Amino acid sequence: MLQVGIVGLPNVGKSTLFNALLKRQQALAANYPFATIEPNIGIVDVPDKRIEQLYETVLEEYNLDKNATETSLTESHSKNLPKKIPAVVKFVDIAGLAPGAHKGEGLGNKFLSHIRETNIILHLVRGFENEDVVRAGSIDPKNDIKLINTELILKDIETVQRMIESRGKRVETTAEVLALKEILDRLNSETPLFKAKLSEKALEIANNNSLLTIKPQIIVLNIDENKIKENQNVGDLYISAKLESDLSSLSEEDQKEYLKQLGINESGLNRVINKCYDLLGYRSFFTAGPKEVHAWQFSAGMTAQNCAGVIHTDFEKNFIAAEIVDWENYVKNESWKNCKDKGLIRLEGRDYIMQDGDTVIFRVNTR
């Protein structure tokens, strides 16, 4: 599962954003530094209109009652309705980092350890004005970005230096030592590793040891809700955590109407989730039938046999072939049978590279 760590200085809106992501108040959003000590963790659906359309198609295909009440994912389903299971992202709300975090300031070592467990870092930066909320950083978001990145770089320098020192006590390959020194050189030049050009060996070491700055990073500027339509020149995305928190309390229809009134096509949360999903090259394939319509995560470049293992390890081991149709063709032709009758379903082998949106039935050896 894709895991995203939300980091930043204290009081930049991390917990407010996290609460909005979960559409309910799970984190303590308080106006003082280090209100969050233990990380809050939440599972969030990946916004994907395709699964909604596939679900409607399955209901039609199997003559299922659209008006029956759909059950949650944790309950046995009633009235023969299929479950609808989207792809998900795990968000970890990590407590605010302070200057000196790499040395343990502000419980920094504990917080930095939580970052190691994530796949990607969402760096939230304060861009809003509010005299009632204590400002931990400067008034310049770019300085705050540099401060956090410096803490992450310094922690990686400390880690790599220990690794180099330990190699002096035992025999190691010259290639490994050279790769470690290459990593240290990049870090000493104040370059986060995810932006650095590294050799294959250095990249392998950085990933295998979960160095903090090797993780891809998204800079998200948290702005005032009344500036949501203004152009911003800081970071990769901008969002109003306050606005998203207000939206999260509304029904889906009311959210759409509110966004329409604001002249916005998509919520900031959807943009954040999709950006995180895409940055690591994550894709979705689908299985669709009378029991469930399911979006499954996979990484770009995975084969059909690899993707069978996403569902169950036995599927990968006993893989025979995959019947595949593009999701749009499935929806357009209203049933699997119609797709088969029109020759739209392809039979692919173990080495087929799965594509985003493939809808599939895996053939496996059950003996």
Side-chain angles (χ1 to χ4, degrees), residues 1 33 49 72 94 131 156 167 192 199 242 246 264 268-270 273 286 293 296 308 313-315 319 324-325 365-366:
M1 185 187 300
K49 295 179 180 178
S72 72
I94 298 169
E131 295 180 356
D156 276 352
R167 266 64 178 171
S199 65
K242 171 70 167 56
D246 292 342
I264 303 171
L269 292 183
N270 283 4
I273 295 168
F286 301 97
V293 177
W296 303 88
T313 53
D314 286 347
F315 283 17
F319 179 92
I324 295 175
V325 65
N365 189 344
T366 57

PDB file of all heavy atoms in Angstrom, residues 1 33 49 72 94 131 156 167 192 199 242 246 264 268-270 273 286 293 296 308 313-315 319 324-325 365-366:
ATOM      1  N   MET A   1       0.840  -1.193   0.000  1.00  0.00           N
ATOM      2  CA  MET A   1       0.000   0.000   0.000  1.00  0.00           C
ATOM      3  C   MET A   1       0.876   1.244   0.000  1.00  0.00           C
ATOM      4  O   MET A   1       1.859   1.322   0.736  1.00  0.00           O
ATOM      5  CB  MET A   1      -0.900  -0.007   1.240  1.00  0.00           C
ATOM      6  CG  MET A   1      -1.908   1.134   1.286  1.00  0.00           C
ATOM      7  SD  MET A   1      -2.800   1.201   2.849  1.00  0.00           S
ATOM      8  CE  MET A   1      -3.577  -0.414   2.860  1.00  0.00           C
ATOM      9  N   PRO A  33       2.667  24.099  19.297  1.00  0.00           N
ATOM     10  CA  PRO A  33       3.615  23.165  18.680  1.00  0.00           C
ATOM     11  C   PRO A  33       3.533  21.780  19.294  1.00  0.00           C
ATOM     12  O   PRO A  33       3.255  21.615  20.487  1.00  0.00           O
ATOM     13  CB  PRO A  33       4.976  23.806  18.969  1.00  0.00           C
ATOM     14  CG  PRO A  33       4.682  25.248  19.192  1.00  0.00           C
ATOM     15  CD  PRO A  33       3.323  25.282  19.846  1.00  0.00           C
ATOM     16  N   LYS A  49     -13.073   7.882 -11.072  1.00  0.00           N
ATOM     17  CA  LYS A  49     -14.426   7.777 -11.629  1.00  0.00           C
ATOM     18  C   LYS A  49     -14.635   6.461 -12.367  1.00  0.00           C
ATOM     19  O   LYS A  49     -15.778   6.028 -12.570  1.00  0.00           O
ATOM     20  CB  LYS A  49     -14.694   8.958 -12.564  1.00  0.00           C
ATOM     21  CG  LYS A  49     -14.724  10.308 -11.860  1.00  0.00           C
ATOM     22  CD  LYS A  49     -14.973  11.443 -12.849  1.00  0.00           C
ATOM     23  CE  LYS A  49     -15.006  12.786 -12.127  1.00  0.00           C
ATOM     24  NZ  LYS A  49     -15.201  13.912 -13.081  1.00  0.00           N
ATOM     25  N   SER A  72     -20.911  -1.665   3.656  1.00  0.00           N
ATOM     26  CA  SER A  72     -19.512  -1.249   3.784  1.00  0.00           C
ATOM     27  C   SER A  72     -18.592  -2.412   3.454  1.00  0.00           C
ATOM     28  O   SER A  72     -19.029  -3.561   3.353  1.00  0.00           O
ATOM     29  CB  SER A  72     -19.242  -0.776   5.215  1.00  0.00           C
ATOM     30  OG  SER A  72     -19.231  -1.880   6.081  1.00  0.00           O
ATOM     31  N   ILE A  94       2.566  13.142  10.548  1.00  0.00           N
ATOM     32  CA  ILE A  94       3.754  13.130  11.402  1.00  0.00           C
ATOM     33  C   ILE A  94       3.881  14.478  12.102  1.00  0.00           C
ATOM     34  O   ILE A  94       3.669  15.529  11.495  1.00  0.00           O
ATOM     35  CB  ILE A  94       5.010  12.830  10.564  1.00  0.00           C
ATOM     36  CG1 ILE A  94       4.877  11.433   9.926  1.00  0.00           C
ATOM     37  CG2 ILE A  94       6.284  12.902  11.410  1.00  0.00           C
ATOM     38  CD1 ILE A  94       5.916  11.133   8.883  1.00  0.00           C
ATOM     39  N   GLU A 131      -3.137  35.512  12.662  1.00  0.00           N
ATOM     40  CA  GLU A 131      -2.425  35.962  13.866  1.00  0.00           C
ATOM     41  C   GLU A 131      -2.745  35.107  15.080  1.00  0.00           C
ATOM     42  O   GLU A 131      -2.002  35.125  16.072  1.00  0.00           O
ATOM     43  CB  GLU A 131      -2.767  37.424  14.153  1.00  0.00           C
ATOM     44  CG  GLU A 131      -2.266  38.389  13.082  1.00  0.00           C
ATOM     45  CD  GLU A 131      -2.613  39.834  13.394  1.00  0.00           C
ATOM     46  OE1 GLU A 131      -3.318  40.060  14.407  1.00  0.00           O
ATOM     47  OE2 GLU A 131      -2.183  40.723  12.624  1.00  0.00           O
ATOM     48  N   ASP A 156      20.326  12.331   7.084  1.00  0.00           N
ATOM     49  CA  ASP A 156      20.910  11.373   6.140  1.00  0.00           C
ATOM     50  C   ASP A 156      22.434  11.401   6.196  1.00  0.00           C
ATOM     51  O   ASP A 156      23.086  10.351   6.113  1.00  0.00           O
ATOM     52  CB  ASP A 156      20.435  11.675   4.717  1.00  0.00           C
ATOM     53  CG  ASP A 156      19.076  11.053   4.403  1.00  0.00           C
ATOM     54  OD1 ASP A 156      18.580  10.266   5.230  1.00  0.00           O
ATOM     55  OD2 ASP A 156      18.517  11.361   3.330  1.00  0.00           O
ATOM     56  N   ARG A 167      32.080   0.490   8.070  1.00  0.00           N
ATOM     57  CA  ARG A 167      32.780  -0.277   7.032  1.00  0.00           C
ATOM     58  C   ARG A 167      34.266  -0.365   7.316  1.00  0.00           C
ATOM     59  O   ARG A 167      34.930  -1.291   6.860  1.00  0.00           O
ATOM     60  CB  ARG A 167      32.569   0.353   5.650  1.00  0.00           C
ATOM     61  CG  ARG A 167      31.423  -0.232   4.859  1.00  0.00           C
ATOM     62  CD  ARG A 167      30.116   0.005   5.511  1.00  0.00           C
ATOM     63  NE  ARG A 167      28.973  -0.496   4.764  1.00  0.00           N
ATOM     64  CZ  ARG A 167      27.743  -0.530   5.268  1.00  0.00           C
ATOM     65  NH1 ARG A 167      27.507  -0.099   6.497  1.00  0.00           N
ATOM     66  NH2 ARG A 167      26.745  -0.998   4.546  1.00  0.00           N
ATOM     67  N   PRO A 192      18.928  17.073  -1.925  1.00  0.00           N
ATOM     68  CA  PRO A 192      18.162  15.888  -1.529  1.00  0.00           C
ATOM     69  C   PRO A 192      18.421  14.768  -2.537  1.00  0.00           C
ATOM     70  O   PRO A 192      18.526  15.009  -3.745  1.00  0.00           O
ATOM     71  CB  PRO A 192      16.709  16.362  -1.582  1.00  0.00           C
ATOM     72  CG  PRO A 192      16.779  17.856  -1.501  1.00  0.00           C
ATOM     73  CD  PRO A 192      18.063  18.236  -2.171  1.00  0.00           C
ATOM     74  N   SER A 199      24.676   6.952  -9.093  1.00  0.00           N
ATOM     75  CA  SER A 199      25.002   5.714  -9.786  1.00  0.00           C
ATOM     76  C   SER A 199      24.024   4.631  -9.350  1.00  0.00           C
ATOM     77  O   SER A 199      23.329   4.755  -8.327  1.00  0.00           O
ATOM     78  CB  SER A 199      26.432   5.284  -9.463  1.00  0.00           C
ATOM     79  OG  SER A 199      26.546   4.955  -8.084  1.00  0.00           O
ATOM     80  N   LYS A 242      -8.098  24.599   5.314  1.00  0.00           N
ATOM     81  CA  LYS A 242      -9.325  25.079   5.960  1.00  0.00           C
ATOM     82  C   LYS A 242     -10.527  24.838   5.055  1.00  0.00           C
ATOM     83  O   LYS A 242     -11.567  24.333   5.506  1.00  0.00           O
ATOM     84  CB  LYS A 242      -9.177  26.573   6.262  1.00  0.00           C
ATOM     85  CG  LYS A 242     -10.439  27.272   6.735  1.00  0.00           C
ATOM     86  CD  LYS A 242     -10.844  26.851   8.137  1.00  0.00           C
ATOM     87  CE  LYS A 242     -11.904  27.777   8.728  1.00  0.00           C
ATOM     88  NZ  LYS A 242     -13.116  27.904   7.914  1.00  0.00           N
ATOM     89  N   ASP A 246     -13.760  22.273   5.555  1.00  0.00           N
ATOM     90  CA  ASP A 246     -15.169  22.672   5.436  1.00  0.00           C
ATOM     91  C   ASP A 246     -15.895  21.778   4.429  1.00  0.00           C
ATOM     92  O   ASP A 246     -17.031  21.348   4.664  1.00  0.00           O
ATOM     93  CB  ASP A 246     -15.271  24.138   4.990  1.00  0.00           C
ATOM     94  CG  ASP A 246     -14.778  25.108   6.047  1.00  0.00           C
ATOM     95  OD1 ASP A 246     -14.677  24.705   7.221  1.00  0.00           O
ATOM     96  OD2 ASP A 246     -14.479  26.264   5.686  1.00  0.00           O
ATOM     97  N   ILE A 264     -14.090  26.036  -9.133  1.00  0.00           N
ATOM     98  CA  ILE A 264     -13.028  25.026  -9.049  1.00  0.00           C
ATOM     99  C   ILE A 264     -13.566  23.701  -9.562  1.00  0.00           C
ATOM    100  O   ILE A 264     -14.673  23.289  -9.209  1.00  0.00           O
ATOM    101  CB  ILE A 264     -12.552  24.862  -7.580  1.00  0.00           C
ATOM    102  CG1 ILE A 264     -12.077  26.208  -7.038  1.00  0.00           C
ATOM    103  CG2 ILE A 264     -11.445  23.823  -7.493  1.00  0.00           C
ATOM    104  CD1 ILE A 264     -11.793  26.189  -5.554  1.00  0.00           C
ATOM    105  N   GLY A 268      -8.907  20.161  -3.730  1.00  0.00           N
ATOM    106  CA  GLY A 268      -7.470  20.085  -3.504  1.00  0.00           C
ATOM    107  C   GLY A 268      -7.043  18.714  -3.023  1.00  0.00           C
ATOM    108  O   GLY A 268      -5.966  18.233  -3.368  1.00  0.00           O
ATOM    109  N   LEU A 269      -7.885  18.081  -2.225  1.00  0.00           N
ATOM    110  CA  LEU A 269      -7.556  16.750  -1.707  1.00  0.00           C
ATOM    111  C   LEU A 269      -7.410  15.746  -2.834  1.00  0.00           C
ATOM    112  O   LEU A 269      -6.485  14.922  -2.827  1.00  0.00           O
ATOM    113  CB  LEU A 269      -8.646  16.278  -0.738  1.00  0.00           C
ATOM    114  CG  LEU A 269      -8.750  17.034   0.580  1.00  0.00           C
ATOM    115  CD1 LEU A 269      -9.821  16.413   1.464  1.00  0.00           C
ATOM    116  CD2 LEU A 269      -7.424  17.041   1.304  1.00  0.00           C
ATOM    117  N   ASN A 270      -8.328  15.790  -3.803  1.00  0.00           N
ATOM    118  CA  ASN A 270      -8.221  14.869  -4.933  1.00  0.00           C
ATOM    119  C   ASN A 270      -6.916  15.089  -5.695  1.00  0.00           C
ATOM    120  O   ASN A 270      -6.270  14.134  -6.127  1.00  0.00           O
ATOM    121  CB  ASN A 270      -9.409  15.049  -5.879  1.00  0.00           C
ATOM    122  CG  ASN A 270     -10.668  14.398  -5.336  1.00  0.00           C
ATOM    123  OD1 ASN A 270     -10.682  13.874  -4.221  1.00  0.00           O
ATOM    124  ND2 ASN A 270     -11.736  14.429  -6.103  1.00  0.00           N
ATOM    125  N   ILE A 273      -4.041  13.586  -3.552  1.00  0.00           N
ATOM    126  CA  ILE A 273      -4.029  12.119  -3.568  1.00  0.00           C
ATOM    127  C   ILE A 273      -3.547  11.601  -4.910  1.00  0.00           C
ATOM    128  O   ILE A 273      -2.689  10.709  -4.985  1.00  0.00           O
ATOM    129  CB  ILE A 273      -5.430  11.569  -3.233  1.00  0.00           C
ATOM    130  CG1 ILE A 273      -5.823  11.935  -1.795  1.00  0.00           C
ATOM    131  CG2 ILE A 273      -5.470  10.048  -3.411  1.00  0.00           C
ATOM    132  CD1 ILE A 273      -7.280  11.681  -1.474  1.00  0.00           C
ATOM    133  N   PHE A 286      -8.429  -3.438 -12.815  1.00  0.00           N
ATOM    134  CA  PHE A 286      -9.722  -3.701 -12.198  1.00  0.00           C
ATOM    135  C   PHE A 286     -10.123  -5.163 -12.370  1.00  0.00           C
ATOM    136  O   PHE A 286      -9.809  -5.807 -13.374  1.00  0.00           O
ATOM    137  CB  PHE A 286     -10.813  -2.830 -12.824  1.00  0.00           C
ATOM    138  CG  PHE A 286     -10.558  -1.361 -12.696  1.00  0.00           C
ATOM    139  CD1 PHE A 286      -9.971  -0.651 -13.739  1.00  0.00           C
ATOM    140  CD2 PHE A 286     -10.889  -0.677 -11.538  1.00  0.00           C
ATOM    141  CE1 PHE A 286      -9.722   0.703 -13.635  1.00  0.00           C
ATOM    142  CE2 PHE A 286     -10.649   0.685 -11.423  1.00  0.00           C
ATOM    143  CZ  PHE A 286     -10.067   1.376 -12.472  1.00  0.00           C
ATOM    144  N   VAL A 293     -16.440  -5.185  -7.296  1.00  0.00           N
ATOM    145  CA  VAL A 293     -15.729  -4.399  -8.297  1.00  0.00           C
ATOM    146  C   VAL A 293     -14.548  -3.785  -7.560  1.00  0.00           C
ATOM    147  O   VAL A 293     -14.731  -3.028  -6.609  1.00  0.00           O
ATOM    148  CB  VAL A 293     -16.627  -3.306  -8.909  1.00  0.00           C
ATOM    149  CG1 VAL A 293     -15.838  -2.464  -9.899  1.00  0.00           C
ATOM    150  CG2 VAL A 293     -17.843  -3.918  -9.573  1.00  0.00           C
ATOM    151  N   TRP A 296      -7.163  -2.399  -8.117  1.00  0.00           N
ATOM    152  CA  TRP A 296      -5.941  -2.946  -7.516  1.00  0.00           C
ATOM    153  C   TRP A 296      -4.752  -2.076  -7.916  1.00  0.00           C
ATOM    154  O   TRP A 296      -4.594  -1.725  -9.073  1.00  0.00           O
ATOM    155  CB  TRP A 296      -5.693  -4.370  -7.990  1.00  0.00           C
ATOM    156  CG  TRP A 296      -6.812  -5.328  -7.714  1.00  0.00           C
ATOM    157  CD1 TRP A 296      -7.896  -5.585  -8.501  1.00  0.00           C
ATOM    158  CD2 TRP A 296      -6.956  -6.173  -6.570  1.00  0.00           C
ATOM    159  NE1 TRP A 296      -8.703  -6.531  -7.924  1.00  0.00           N
ATOM    160  CE2 TRP A 296      -8.151  -6.916  -6.728  1.00  0.00           C
ATOM    161  CE3 TRP A 296      -6.191  -6.381  -5.431  1.00  0.00           C
ATOM    162  CZ2 TRP A 296      -8.593  -7.840  -5.795  1.00  0.00           C
ATOM    163  CZ3 TRP A 296      -6.623  -7.315  -4.488  1.00  0.00           C
ATOM    164  CH2 TRP A 296      -7.811  -8.027  -4.670  1.00  0.00           C
ATOM    165  N   ALA A 308      -1.178 -10.587 -11.011  1.00  0.00           N
ATOM    166  CA  ALA A 308      -1.975 -11.668 -10.422  1.00  0.00           C
ATOM    167  C   ALA A 308      -1.581 -11.870  -8.970  1.00  0.00           C
ATOM    168  O   ALA A 308      -2.419 -12.137  -8.097  1.00  0.00           O
ATOM    169  CB  ALA A 308      -1.787 -12.951 -11.225  1.00  0.00           C
ATOM    170  N   THR A 313      -0.843 -14.419  -3.754  1.00  0.00           N
ATOM    171  CA  THR A 313       0.448 -14.990  -4.145  1.00  0.00           C
ATOM    172  C   THR A 313       0.276 -16.291  -4.918  1.00  0.00           C
ATOM    173  O   THR A 313       1.069 -16.589  -5.821  1.00  0.00           O
ATOM    174  CB  THR A 313       1.329 -15.245  -2.911  1.00  0.00           C
ATOM    175  OG1 THR A 313       0.588 -16.032  -1.958  1.00  0.00           O
ATOM    176  CG2 THR A 313       1.741 -13.937  -2.261  1.00  0.00           C
ATOM    177  N   ASP A 314      -0.763 -17.075  -4.594  1.00  0.00           N
ATOM    178  CA  ASP A 314      -1.003 -18.324  -5.327  1.00  0.00           C
ATOM    179  C   ASP A 314      -1.371 -18.056  -6.782  1.00  0.00           C
ATOM    180  O   ASP A 314      -1.083 -18.877  -7.662  1.00  0.00           O
ATOM    181  CB  ASP A 314      -2.115 -19.139  -4.660  1.00  0.00           C
ATOM    182  CG  ASP A 314      -1.651 -19.795  -3.365  1.00  0.00           C
ATOM    183  OD1 ASP A 314      -0.430 -19.824  -3.129  1.00  0.00           O
ATOM    184  OD2 ASP A 314      -2.502 -20.274  -2.602  1.00  0.00           O
ATOM    185  N   PHE A 315      -2.026 -16.915  -7.040  1.00  0.00           N
ATOM    186  CA  PHE A 315      -2.385 -16.564  -8.422  1.00  0.00           C
ATOM    187  C   PHE A 315      -1.126 -16.354  -9.262  1.00  0.00           C
ATOM    188  O   PHE A 315      -1.083 -16.734 -10.425  1.00  0.00           O
ATOM    189  CB  PHE A 315      -3.241 -15.299  -8.454  1.00  0.00           C
ATOM    190  CG  PHE A 315      -4.680 -15.503  -8.055  1.00  0.00           C
ATOM    191  CD1 PHE A 315      -5.086 -16.643  -7.370  1.00  0.00           C
ATOM    192  CD2 PHE A 315      -5.639 -14.549  -8.368  1.00  0.00           C
ATOM    193  CE1 PHE A 315      -6.412 -16.819  -7.006  1.00  0.00           C
ATOM    194  CE2 PHE A 315      -6.972 -14.721  -8.006  1.00  0.00           C
ATOM    195  CZ  PHE A 315      -7.353 -15.862  -7.317  1.00  0.00           C
ATOM    196  N   PHE A 319      -0.155 -18.979 -12.254  1.00  0.00           N
ATOM    197  CA  PHE A 319      -0.668 -18.194 -13.378  1.00  0.00           C
ATOM    198  C   PHE A 319      -0.647 -18.995 -14.682  1.00  0.00           C
ATOM    199  O   PHE A 319       0.324 -19.686 -15.000  1.00  0.00           O
ATOM    200  CB  PHE A 319       0.190 -16.930 -13.535  1.00  0.00           C
ATOM    201  CG  PHE A 319      -0.205 -16.044 -14.671  1.00  0.00           C
ATOM    202  CD1 PHE A 319      -1.107 -15.014 -14.483  1.00  0.00           C
ATOM    203  CD2 PHE A 319       0.320 -16.226 -15.949  1.00  0.00           C
ATOM    204  CE1 PHE A 319      -1.473 -14.173 -15.524  1.00  0.00           C
ATOM    205  CE2 PHE A 319      -0.031 -15.394 -16.998  1.00  0.00           C
ATOM    206  CZ  PHE A 319      -0.938 -14.358 -16.787  1.00  0.00           C
ATOM    207  N   ILE A 324      -8.213  -9.896 -20.805  1.00  0.00           N
ATOM    208  CA  ILE A 324      -8.143  -8.456 -20.530  1.00  0.00           C
ATOM    209  C   ILE A 324      -8.966  -7.660 -21.535  1.00  0.00           C
ATOM    210  O   ILE A 324      -8.946  -7.941 -22.739  1.00  0.00           O
ATOM    211  CB  ILE A 324      -6.678  -7.962 -20.573  1.00  0.00           C
ATOM    212  CG1 ILE A 324      -5.874  -8.618 -19.445  1.00  0.00           C
ATOM    213  CG2 ILE A 324      -6.597  -6.444 -20.471  1.00  0.00           C
ATOM    214  CD1 ILE A 324      -4.401  -8.301 -19.479  1.00  0.00           C
ATOM    215  N   VAL A 325      -9.681  -6.668 -21.010  1.00  0.00           N
ATOM    216  CA  VAL A 325     -10.363  -5.681 -21.848  1.00  0.00           C
ATOM    217  C   VAL A 325     -10.157  -4.323 -21.192  1.00  0.00           C
ATOM    218  O   VAL A 325     -10.108  -4.213 -19.961  1.00  0.00           O
ATOM    219  CB  VAL A 325     -11.867  -6.004 -21.999  1.00  0.00           C
ATOM    220  CG1 VAL A 325     -12.591  -5.905 -20.652  1.00  0.00           C
ATOM    221  CG2 VAL A 325     -12.527  -5.066 -23.010  1.00  0.00           C
ATOM    222  N   ASN A 365      -4.103 -22.109 -12.355  1.00  0.00           N
ATOM    223  CA  ASN A 365      -4.200 -23.551 -12.139  1.00  0.00           C
ATOM    224  C   ASN A 365      -4.671 -23.797 -10.706  1.00  0.00           C
ATOM    225  O   ASN A 365      -3.981 -23.443  -9.755  1.00  0.00           O
ATOM    226  CB  ASN A 365      -2.839 -24.205 -12.376  1.00  0.00           C
ATOM    227  CG  ASN A 365      -2.908 -25.711 -12.380  1.00  0.00           C
ATOM    228  OD1 ASN A 365      -3.887 -26.304 -11.933  1.00  0.00           O
ATOM    229  ND2 ASN A 365      -1.873 -26.358 -12.902  1.00  0.00           N
ATOM    230  N   THR A 366      -5.822 -24.389 -10.549  1.00  0.00           N
ATOM    231  CA  THR A 366      -6.400 -24.602  -9.215  1.00  0.00           C
ATOM    232  C   THR A 366      -6.145 -26.004  -8.681  1.00  0.00           C
ATOM    233  O   THR A 366      -6.596 -26.343  -7.594  1.00  0.00           O
ATOM    234  CB  THR A 366      -7.927 -24.352  -9.242  1.00  0.00           C
ATOM    235  OG1 THR A 366      -8.525 -25.230 -10.221  1.00  0.00           O
ATOM    236  CG2 THR A 366      -8.219 -22.905  -9.611  1.00  0.00           C
TER     237      THR A 366
END
